[in-house]
Amino acid sequence: MAAHLFVKSTGLLALLLAAGPAVSDPTLMPLVSVTSDPAGGQTYTLSLQILLVMTALTLLPALLMLTTSFTRFVIVLALLRQALGTAQTPSNQVLIGISLFLTLFVMGPVIDQVYGQAVEPYMSEQINAADALKLGQAPLSEFMLAQTRENDLILFADMAGESIDIGQVPLRVLIPAFVTSELKTAFQIGFVMFIPFLIIDLVVASVLMSMGMMMLSPVIISAPFKLMLFVLADGWVLVMGTLVASFAI
């Protein structure tokens, strides 16, 4: 399923291409040219289309992190690792991989909507690039709007001088508001996860101090107990299940 969603998500890059008829011999056209078609749209040369795609590829990692559930997943998992006191275990690569595939799972319905409403009609030349961008933006904006706090939205709307219309929030307002809300939510979840492990650290430190073993680091003693508690409570299932459920998909 993850591979299927990944294939669909890569199709979203086609939305950044300008609509235009296929050119059998690109050398017959100018290097950079923008012409108007009879329908009122614009047609770009092949070289300009390739330039747009290459530019979009450089922005893809930022869009992945800032417009999806990836930010919440990776922050919570990093805080969990710190709470367990396991240093670099799991490694950053493992945490990013887990976050990526959980993001594909959560964003699956959104990707399906974008693919069905925008990418597929555009690939079949039923709509132009401008319409595809507009149609593809709607499901993603709806997802981000559902996860964004109202006060964050009001804050960035006021700074941008925009009036708030829930049905038409510009991306330059919605994306920073969404990122801010995701950071708040991720740190709130991380704080709740820290509490049981913090209690174990305090108990171990108190016991060692009462025994006069002040030179022994409490982390050495508490780490096995925290790992045992996490494994016995089936912690990975609880954490991942809670994170996925927090998006109410």
Side-chain angles (χ1 to χ4, degrees), residues 13 36 70 83-84 91 93 118 132 138 147 170 184 187 207 230 236:
L13 291 176
S36 299
F70 181 84
L84 288 171
S91 63
Q93 291 83 354
Q147 308 300 326
K184 290 181 180 178
F187 278 97
V207 171
F230 188 72
W236 287 114

Side-chain angles (χ1 to χ4, degrees), residues 59-80:
L59 299 176
L60 187 59
L63 291 175
L64 172 65
M65 291 186 292
L66 300 181
T67 62
T68 66
S69 57
F70 181 84
T71 301
R72 185 183 305 186
F73 287 138
V74 74
I75 290 178
V76 170
L77 292 177
L79 291 175
L80 173 62

Side-chain angles (χ1 to χ4, degrees), residues 52 68 76 91 96 108 138 149 170 198 202 209 231 233 235:
L52 292 174
T68 66
V76 170
S91 63
I96 292 175
R149 291 177 171 84
L198 180 61
L202 291 175
M209 185 172 293
V231 172

